[in-house]
Amino acid sequence: MRNQFIAFFLMLAISVIAMAAEEKPRSISTQGEAVIYVVPDEVVISFGVETVDKSLDQARGANDEASSRLLKAVKALGIEEKYIQADRMHVEIQYDETRSSFRVNRPIAGYVTRRSYNITLKDVKKFEKLVDTVLKSGANQFTGFTFQTSELRQYRDKARLMAIKAAKEKAVALSLALNCK
């Protein structure tokens, strides 16, 4: 019985080795690319207000006032509040560098307050008017803008399908050239 058991395992081991020795199916790997150019239908504009004062309350108050004036001017252009996003508020302490080299011992010289906003403009034709308005209404930081499409998912899906088609066409062409399937 023991000899039969050993013979069974030997046959099993031989068949596993034989299967491993068999040639694996050959394959072809390709990549596909697709680019879709889209006319943007919206733009996101980023800007902010920075104020500086020796008093934290004064710096914050001046920032609140300038930001309020700025947002009022933006809304006067017909931009809905849901497209105006307060991005960040930042308070920075400025130390008197002339008094001591150690940060712990330096007295506070003042405060810098920054508030930044992002506006999604749904009418791209109003872009220049909006930039002009924010710069004339209190924004002293303009950090940039991004043109984009509101239908991004649709275009990405379409580009993905086009890329798959391109990869498949390459694979078929290569297999024909190599006389393979």
Side-chain angles (χ1 to χ4, degrees):
M1 177 109 170
R2 184 179 165 135
N3 288 340
Q4 289 175 339
F5 188 67
I6 292 173
F8 172 74
F9 276 113
L10 281 174
M11 287 176 47
L12 183 63
I14 291 171
S15 61
V16 168
I17 291 171
M19 286 189 329
E22 287 180 20
E23 189 177 316
K24 293 181 182 178
R26 298 180 341 181
S27 66
I28 294 175
S29 259
T30 62
Q31 292 181 348
E33 287 185 28
V35 176
I36 297 178
Y37 293 99
V38 178
V39 175
D41 62 354
E42 62 186 25
V43 60
V44 177
I45 301 166
S46 303
F47 57 90
V49 176
E50 177 180 286
T51 53
V52 181
D53 200 280
K54 289 183 179 188
S55 159
L56 175 59
D57 291 337
Q58 293 293 328
R60 191 173 40 206
N63 196 283
D64 289 345
E65 185 181 313
S67 294
S68 179
R69 190 174 55 249
L70 175 64
L71 293 176
K72 186 177 179 182
V74 167
K75 289 175 187 173
L77 290 176
I79 297 172
E80 296 178 54
E81 196 164 327
K82 67 181 178 180
Y83 297 119
I84 302 170
Q85 176 187 357
D87 185 38
R88 123 181 18 158
M89 170 85 177
H90 179 77
V91 176
E92 178 183 325
I93 301 170
Q94 292 183 324
Y95 293 95
D96 186 347
E97 301 290 333
T98 61
R99 292 296 220 26
S100 172
S101 60
F102 297 106
R103 185 173 214 149
V104 187
N105 297 331
R106 288 184 293 182
I108 294 175
Y111 299 88
V112 178
T113 58
R114 294 181 187 96
R115 191 173 297 174
S116 58
Y117 299 92
N118 291 323
I119 293 180
T120 302
L121 185 60
K122 295 294 185 176
D123 184 357
V124 178
K125 294 175 188 169
K126 291 183 177 179
F127 171 68
E128 288 183 37
K129 179 70 174 165
L130 177 61
V131 170
D132 190 53
T133 299
V134 298
L135 292 175
K136 288 180 177 176
S137 300
N140 51 14
Q141 295 182 335
F142 187 79
T143 52
F145 56 91
T146 306
F147 284 95
Q148 59 191 32
T149 177
S150 59
E151 303 292 328
L152 183 61
R153 175 65 189 257
Q154 168 191 332
Y155 292 114
R156 278 190 176 160
D157 290 347
K158 185 176 179 181
R160 188 177 303 108
L161 291 174
M162 291 169 58
I164 290 169
K165 182 180 176 188
K168 184 176 180 181
E169 289 171 355
K170 283 183 193 178
V172 168
L174 285 171
S175 66
L176 287 174
L178 295 170
N179 230 5
C180 301
K181 289 187 178 184

